[in-house]
């Protein structure tokens, strides 16, 4: 019986200090003695635990593996035991009787306990079972995949197990080795392998820890089967016993086998190959050396299964080594493969293999013609398929010029250079060339050449492929004499001479394309053309490839600038139009202190590169900048601009972006809309207790338009003009497809205008389809005049459009008349002189847009002054009148554009010229006309050379000009003369003075009689309205006077303030008039419904003050930042540019409309008869009441402002006088009709300032008047239907109620 002891060391956390009496029992020899002699005892046996387990039954004896756990407090004791076992014990160790012995003692597991934590590790050669690895965690600092150290709270129930080992063996069968054993798929191979693996498993399964036995292959030498056994480490004797069992089993199964099973050993052999680079026909030596003293056989194999004849190798044995040399005398390509050297002795099979690759060596004739131009010509080459150049090439010159051999991996070539002298001496040449190695490879070839006295040119460059943005340099050389000129061509199109310099004496030229010009448009064939006197034209060409490398300005970054927090991921994106042709990109981060972090690879999509960066440590959570570095297919790189990131500890804005109050983050427009590009800014703004991002700037443009721009920018080569029409067609399609978005985007419009300018520059000739696409694009650009108001340089951009249209028109190529009138905003008419027999005419009609028309006439005399092929082109714009209006310029005194803008160009200049144009007026009320043209120099309208002509049609204006460009008409109202202006001024100031005085008197009277006239709710609200109207109108008049004074001294800020307060107080006046009208309407229509005084006061004050202030503040906030709040003609709201005047006109007109409706309702109610017939006296009384209502309500409700509308239609002196007088005397009307004509006010005044008798008499008269039932019938009987109770006839009606009805009408 054999025992294998496995020791497990257990180090408890509680230390036991041995005493002198027990110290002996802690020594390794004492402990092992206890383990070996079980009958002995020790005082410390409490720290020893034993666990016996039967393991495998070996052949002929019983084997047991004993797991023994040893616990001791001193960690150093474990090393003492290991050392004692290794140096002091000799195995086997007998136990008691002679039939039991210990074969080995191995330490497998060591555990250490610290507190409640237990760490256990395996000794060398042992591993934990899978179940233990999955149940425990890995020790800190240990490799989790190897599971060599685990930790937990308890000691594992299983201990470390031996690592499995692979034992490589081979066995020889005395059978014929056929071709089937070379084919692993053959039936014989598969069956033989399966049967043998079954026998192997049966024989080796008794090995401790046996896992598998697998056949790895067969080789000749009878049949040699190589196989591998996977098991736990076992002793050689155990393997030998299993081998014997296998032999017996195979013989029992009728296999004829060699009884010797050899172990395959691979670590005691070496093999060398000479030469290192092998060529076809070389002599090759393979030397195999094994560190053994003797051998039984040596065999070489090719590719594992092909045995090499022993005549090809020799084997010698020396002291301590066996050497076998395989010599291949003339190696061929079929000898490429793996060579295996097998040297066997009686026990082992020593094997080692190596792979050789045989390279072909070929010789090839390249040319037989050599030009006598002093240029080297390769005539023959020797090549191999590999990269090795360990061969030589020699050429013997039998006749001719001596050349030189050069390396051109993987070839060596022989070059010959000839000049005119050589050609005069030799006409032919012969060369015998040999390509050989020092190991015997040899290839020969003969080439016969002819020397030709030919002049020529050649083109060279530093590189055949370069990136965009890199300088391209090419050299053209020739051997010609008497050179007249050297020219360069790209794709058969002449290159501008600005890009090359030539030396005609030496016949060379250098072409240099600057880096800022080199784009993919220069990708193609280049030709150098040399014009000589005697040799004619000599040409040479070379192809150059331009690799895409985007310009840094075209890289869209996001975020451009922003904030971030620690432990928060930041996604960086760099987008380009297309990532095709690029290898990838990396993200480079540089901290504030200048530390560069390792580049991070970015993920590539169809148009973007992206990467996520998460700052974690304190060194990373600082301000930093990042940029993308993009690599193209030839490894050139381009870096984007930096993206600036700011570290924020406690940001207030955290949704979408990170930032503090007031901070600005800049991102790509594509973040919010993938169809846009550019950048946009968001500012973190605090709203109450919260903060949020608000957009503050947008530079967004359409991605499609931006791609077209990049395409146009890349068109720098001579052939680019051919592509421009296609790009213009793409532009037209893009603009029309996205019509709504582009026509409403100022940025897109500006970009399109610049693109049209670039197209204009690039084209020399315009065909009709190109002009159609051009006009289709212009049609969308000028469609929305409101969008043009948002363009900062509106005048410049609109002028650029006119200039581009004129340039296109001059380049238009036609053979007959054409008309392009399918667009709603722009039309074209053109003709050629050869088709004209009389006058040239062009008619335009925009019925679908603004119903404007225009006609152009060039008389026959002017037409005959041009040559036959001259073209005349006319273009009309429907909406340009709104875009090109410049009211704030000096020429605004001429008026506003009041008709079409029409452009006429002629392709040939002429001195004597006259053009006549008819314009339909847009505003028929304007009567002063100025014929003007657009002056590109001053960027404004100019009337030089143009004059108006009488037209019998009052709706049309005729202009005659003596030059050509873009024309229109400026119109305005006929101005008032100085006398008229003085009259209006006197009326204004006298009226305002009377108004102010009247308003002051009205306020005093209202304050005096307030208690007497406000005894009921209706009277109270009426007088509240009168008082507020008076005060607001008084303040408006005062600020009107202040504004007039400020305007005279040109104080801009003071003028803005005066305009604001005048606007506010006039609006308050109107809204209080609206309040009065609504009270009248309410009291008239809602007789049986009554609101409390406080509610009515709240509503009234909100309408009277709240609405005007809101409107005024919004108006100044929207228009003043662009300096378009006030007009340049006074301190009042801007009328033409910002239309701020509408903020006054619209509320005023709306209030007038409401008050008119109120007036109509009152009149209808008064006119409606009561029950029964009316006598004539009653009819007369009703008419009097109607007149009284109109007389009283008209000034109070502000209807006189309606005359202001008349001044917009008829700008004549009478209308101006009426409007000025009525509005200036508004305060007087308030005093007269709102105060003095109120009988109750008069009674109160009389009562306060007269004697008591006279006052009593007035009171009586008042009572009699209020008893009149006429108004009662008209007001209280709301519906005047039969069967309805007439409240006015009831006896219970009080005088107070009757007085209320009167007050409603007065």
């Amino acid at each position: 019986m054999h025992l294998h002891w496995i020791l497990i060391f257990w180090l408890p956390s509680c230390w036991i200090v041995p005493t002198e009496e027990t110290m002996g029992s802690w020594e390794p020899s004492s402990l092992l003695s206890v383990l070996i002699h079980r009958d002995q005892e020790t005082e410390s046996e409490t720290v020893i635990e034993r666990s016996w387990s039967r393991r495998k039954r070996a052949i002929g004896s019983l084997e047991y593996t004993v797991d023994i756990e040893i616990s001791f407090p001193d960690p150093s004791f474990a090393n003492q035991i290991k050392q004692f076992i290794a140096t002091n014990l000799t195995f086997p160790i007998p136990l008691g009787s002679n039939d039991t012995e210990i074969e080995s003692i191995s330490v497998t597991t060591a555990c250490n306990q610290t507190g409640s934590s237990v760490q256990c590790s395996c000794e060398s050669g042992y591993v934990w079972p899978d179940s233990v690895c999955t149940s425990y965690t890995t020790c800190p600092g240990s490799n989790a995949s190897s599971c060599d150290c685990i930790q937990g709270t308890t000691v594992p129930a299983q201990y470390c197990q031996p690592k499995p080992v692979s034992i490589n063996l081979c066995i020889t069968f005395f059978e014929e080795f056929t071709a089937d054993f070379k084919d692993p798929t053959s039936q014989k191979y598969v069956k033989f392998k399966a049967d043998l693996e079954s026998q192997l498993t049966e024989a080796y399964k008794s090995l401790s820890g046996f896992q598998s036995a697998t056949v790895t292959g067969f080789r000749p030498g009878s049949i040699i089967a190589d196989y591998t056994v996977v098991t736990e480490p076992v002793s050689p004797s155990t393997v030998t016993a299993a081998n014997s069992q296998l032999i017996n089993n195979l013989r029992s199964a009728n296999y004829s086998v060699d009884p010797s099973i050899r172990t395959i050993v691979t670590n005691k052999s070496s093999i060398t190959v000479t030469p290192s680079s092998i060529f076809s026909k070389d002599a090759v030596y393979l030397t195999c050396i094994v560190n053994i003293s003797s051998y039984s056989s040596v065999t070489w194999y090719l590719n594992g299964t092909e045995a090499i004849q022993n005549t090809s190798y020799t084997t010698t044995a020396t002291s301590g080594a066996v050497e076998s040399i395989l010599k291949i005398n003339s190696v061929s390509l079929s000898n490429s493969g793996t060579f295996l050297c097998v040297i066997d002795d009686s026990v082992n099979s020593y094997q080692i293999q190596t792979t050789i690759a045989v390279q072909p060596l070929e010789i090839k004739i390249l040319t037989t013609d050599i030009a006598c131009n002093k240029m080297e010509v390769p005539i023959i080459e020797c090549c191999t398929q590999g990269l090795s150049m360990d061969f030589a090439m020699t050429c013997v010159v039998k006749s001719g010029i001596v050349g030189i051999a050069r390396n051109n991996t993987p070839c060596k070539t022989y070059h010959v250079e000839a000049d005119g002298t050589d050609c005069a001496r030799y006409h032919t040449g012969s060369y015998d060339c040999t390509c050989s190695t020092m190991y015997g490879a040899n290839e020969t070839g003969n080439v016969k050449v002819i020397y030709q006295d030919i002049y020529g040119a050649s083109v060279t460059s530093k590189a055949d492929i370069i990136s965009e943005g890199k300088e391209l340099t090419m050299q053209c050389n020739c051997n010609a004499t008497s050179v007249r000129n050297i020219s360069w061509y790209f794709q058969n199109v002449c290159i501008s001479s600005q890009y090359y310099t030539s030396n005609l004496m030496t016949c060379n030229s250098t072409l240099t394309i600057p880096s800022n010009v080199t784009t993919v448009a220069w990708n193609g064939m280049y030709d150098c053309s040399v014009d000589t006197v005697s040799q004619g034209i000599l040409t040479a060409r070379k192809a150059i490839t331009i690799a895409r490398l985007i310009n840094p300005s075209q890289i869209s970054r996001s975020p451009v600038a922003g904030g971030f927090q620690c432990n928060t991921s930041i996604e960086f994106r760099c987008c380009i139009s297309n990532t095709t042709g690029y290898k990838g990109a990396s993200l480079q981060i540089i901290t504030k202190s200048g530390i560069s972090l390792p580049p991070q690879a970015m993920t590539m999509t169809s148009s973007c590169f992206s990467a996520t960066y998460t700052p974690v440590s304190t060194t990373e959570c600082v301000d930093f900048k990042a940029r993308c570095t993009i690599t193209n297919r030839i490894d050139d790189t381009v870096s984007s601009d930096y993206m600036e990131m700011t570290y924020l500890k406690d940001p207030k804005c955290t949704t979408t972006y990170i930032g503090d109050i007031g901070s600005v983050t800049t991102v790509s427009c594509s973040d919010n809309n993938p169809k846009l590009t550019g950048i946009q800014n968001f500012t973190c703004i605090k709203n109450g207790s919260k903060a949020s991002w608000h957009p503050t700037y947008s530079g967004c443009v359409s991605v499609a338009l931006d791609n077209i721009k990049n395409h146009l920018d890349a068109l720098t080569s001579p052939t680019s003009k051919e592509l421009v029409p296609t790009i213009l067609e793409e532009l037209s399609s893009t603009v029309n497809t996205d019509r709504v978005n582009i026509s409403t985007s100022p940025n897109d419009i500006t970009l399109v205008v610049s693109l049209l300018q670039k197209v204009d520059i690039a084209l020399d000739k315009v065909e009709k389809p190109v002009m159609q696409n051009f006009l289709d694009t212009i049609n969308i650009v000028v469609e929305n005049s409101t969008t043009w108001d948002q363009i900062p340089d509106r005048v410049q951009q609109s002028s650029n459009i006119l200039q581009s249209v004129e340039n296109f028109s001059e380049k238009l190529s036609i053979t007959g008349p054409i008309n392009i009138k399918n667009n709603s905003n722009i039309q074209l008419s053109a003709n050629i002189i050869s088709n004209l027999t009389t006058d040239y005419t062009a008619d335009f009609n925009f019925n679908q847009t603004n119903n404007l028309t225009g006609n152009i006439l060039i008389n026959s005399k002017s037409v005959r002054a041009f040559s036959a092929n001259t073209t005349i082109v006319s273009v009309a714009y429907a909406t340009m009148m709104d875009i090109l209006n410049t009211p704030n310029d000096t020429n605004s005194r001429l008026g506003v554009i009041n008709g079409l803008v029409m452009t006429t160009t002629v392709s040939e200049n002429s001195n004597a010229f006259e053009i006549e144009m008819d314009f339909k007026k847009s505003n028929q009320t304007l009567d002063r006309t100025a014929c003007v043209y657009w002056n590109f120099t001053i960027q404004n309208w100019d009337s030089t050379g143009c004059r108006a002509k009488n037209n019998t049609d009052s709706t049309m204006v005729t202009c005659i000009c003596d030059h050509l460009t873009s024309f229109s008409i400026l119109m305005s109202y006929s101005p008032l003369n100085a006398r008229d202006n003085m009259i209006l001024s006197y009326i204004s100031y006298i009226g305002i003075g009377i108004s102010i005085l009247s308003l002051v008197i009205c306020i005093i009277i209202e304050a005096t009689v307030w208690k007497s006239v406000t005894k009921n709710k209706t009277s109270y609200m009426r007088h509240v309205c009168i008082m507020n109207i008076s005060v607001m109108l008084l303040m408006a008049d005062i600020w009107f006077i202040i504004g007039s004074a400020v305007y005279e001294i040109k104080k801009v800020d003071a003028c803005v303030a005066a305009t604001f307060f005048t606007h506010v107080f006039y609006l308050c006046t109107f809204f209080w008039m609206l309040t009065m009208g609504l009270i009248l309407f309410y009291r008239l229509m809602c007789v049986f419904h009554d609101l409390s005084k406080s509610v009515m006061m709240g509503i009234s004050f909100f309408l009277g003050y709240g609405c005007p202030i809101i409107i005024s503040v919004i108006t100044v906030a929207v228009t003043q930042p662009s300096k378009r709040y006030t007009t340049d003609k006074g301190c009042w709201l801007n009328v033409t540019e910002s239309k701020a005047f509408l903020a006054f006109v619209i509320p005023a007109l709306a209030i007038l409309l409401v008050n008119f409706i109120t007036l109509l309702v009152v009149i209808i109610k008064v006119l409606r008869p009561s029950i029964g017939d009316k006598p004539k006296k009653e009819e007369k009384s009703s008419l009097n009441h109607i007149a009284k209502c109109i007389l009283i309500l008209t000034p109070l409700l502000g209807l006189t402002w309606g005359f202001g509308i008349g001044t917009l239609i008829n700008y004549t002196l009478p209308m101006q006088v009426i409007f000025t007088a009525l509005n200036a005397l508004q305060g007087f009307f308030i005093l007269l009709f709102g105060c003095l004509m109120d009988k109750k006010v008069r009674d109160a005044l009389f009562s306060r300032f007269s004697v008591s008798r006279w006052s009593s008499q007035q009171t009586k008269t008042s009572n009699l008047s209020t008893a009149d039932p006429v108004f009662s019938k008209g007001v209280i009987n709301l519906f005047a239907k039969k069967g309805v109770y007439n409240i006015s006839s009831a006896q219970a009606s009080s005088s107070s109620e009757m007085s209320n009805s009167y007050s409603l009408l007065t």
Side-chain angles (χ1 to χ4, degrees), residues 515-534:
S515 59
N516 63 330
V517 176
T518 307
T519 66
V520 289
W522 290 90
N523 184 82
M525 187 66 68
Y526 292 78
D527 291 276
C528 175
S529 176
V530 182
D531 183 9
T532 67
V533 175
S534 57

Side-chain angles (χ1 to χ4, degrees), residues 478 480-486 503-505 507 530-533:
C478 65
T481 58
S482 302
V483 177
R484 288 185 294 208
N485 185 42
I486 300 178
N503 188 328
L504 302 183
M505 295 296 295
C507 192
V530 182
D531 183 9
T532 67
V533 175

Side-chain angles (χ1 to χ4, degrees), residues 735-736 739 742-746 748-750 752-753 756 774-789 791 794 797-805 823-827 846 849-850 875-884 900-901 903:
V735 170
N736 279 274
R739 180 172 191 160
I742 291 178
S743 65
T744 56
S745 169
D748 284 343
I749 287 180
T750 304
V752 172
V753 172
L756 293 176
F774 178 75
L775 294 180
D776 290 347
T777 305
I778 295 288
N779 183 61
I780 306 302
V781 169
V782 300
E783 183 174 57
N784 194 328
S785 60
T786 304
T787 307
W788 279 88
D789 291 340
I791 299 177
R794 173 174 60 91
Q797 295 300 330
S798 55
S799 179
N800 291 339
I801 290 180
L802 293 179
Q803 186 69 71
S804 297
V805 171
N823 291 311
S824 59
N825 301 312
I826 186 171
Q827 296 178 4
F846 292 94
T849 305
N850 51 17
V875 179
Y877 311 83
T879 56
M880 194 62 79
M881 57 178 291
D882 300 318
I883 297 173
L884 276 175
L900 298 177
V901 175
T903 299

